[in-house]
Amino acid sequence: MAKIKKGDLVVVIAGRDRGQQGRVLEVLTENDRVIVEGVQRVTKHIKPGTSRDNQSGGIVTTEASLHISNVMLVDPETKKGTRVGYRTEQVEQDGRTRTKRVRVAKRSGKDVE
């Protein structure tokens, strides 16, 4: 189970884009990879008419995937990279008590949304 989710703000900790921050656009769980907005930009040559988006073809820049171990969640309080832990809490829902796992930034102890 990945601790990084779609929409999280992450910082790249390894590779040519080290230090850059961006939002996670997609998590590819079967390959343990993530696609981060504005990071790992690559150019692709597209043939005319092969995709619906680009009828004219040419050179297109897109985000490539990064391995999930090369990104770190950004702590909401300190704005630096942090590890992620979990805390369980009891939540009352529809008259029943349920156990809920909440992601916690280990650096500051704050909940990660």
Side-chain angles (χ1 to χ4, degrees):
M1 183 177 87
K3 295 182 179 186
I4 306 291
K5 295 183 178 178
K6 181 178 177 178
D8 284 346
L9 184 64
V10 295
V11 62
V12 179
I13 60 172
R16 69 172 191 208
D17 294 318
R18 181 183 305 129
Q20 289 188 8
Q21 288 187 2
R23 293 250 173 237
V24 175
L25 298 176
E26 189 175 355
V27 178
L28 308 169
T29 55
E30 62 275 357
N31 299 331
D32 291 333
R33 299 183 81 79
V34 292
I35 297 176
V36 182
E37 182 179 26
V39 177
Q40 191 77 10
R41 308 267 305 167
V42 294
T43 56
K44 252 165 100 169
H45 296 271
I46 303 291
K47 255 181 157 177
T50 55
S51 68
R52 285 180 268 161
D53 303 345
N54 191 359
Q55 293 296 328
S56 61
I59 301 172
V60 178
T61 59
T62 60
E63 285 98 0
S65 64
L66 289 163
H67 196 268
I68 203 161
S69 67
N70 294 334
V71 296
M72 197 176 228
L73 198 71
V74 173
D75 190 352
E77 188 173 289
T78 62
K79 304 297 186 224
K80 293 182 181 178
T82 183
R83 292 179 293 159
V84 181
Y86 287 95
R87 172 172 46 87
T88 58
E89 56 183 42
Q90 301 295 324
V91 178
E92 181 127 355
Q93 190 177 31
D94 299 331
R96 290 186 282 183
T97 305
R98 297 184 182 254
T99 303
K100 183 178 174 185
R101 290 179 70 194
V102 179
R103 290 190 306 164
V104 178
K106 289 204 174 186
R107 185 181 287 259
S108 66
K110 300 286 182 184
D111 291 354
V112 179
E113 294 300 319

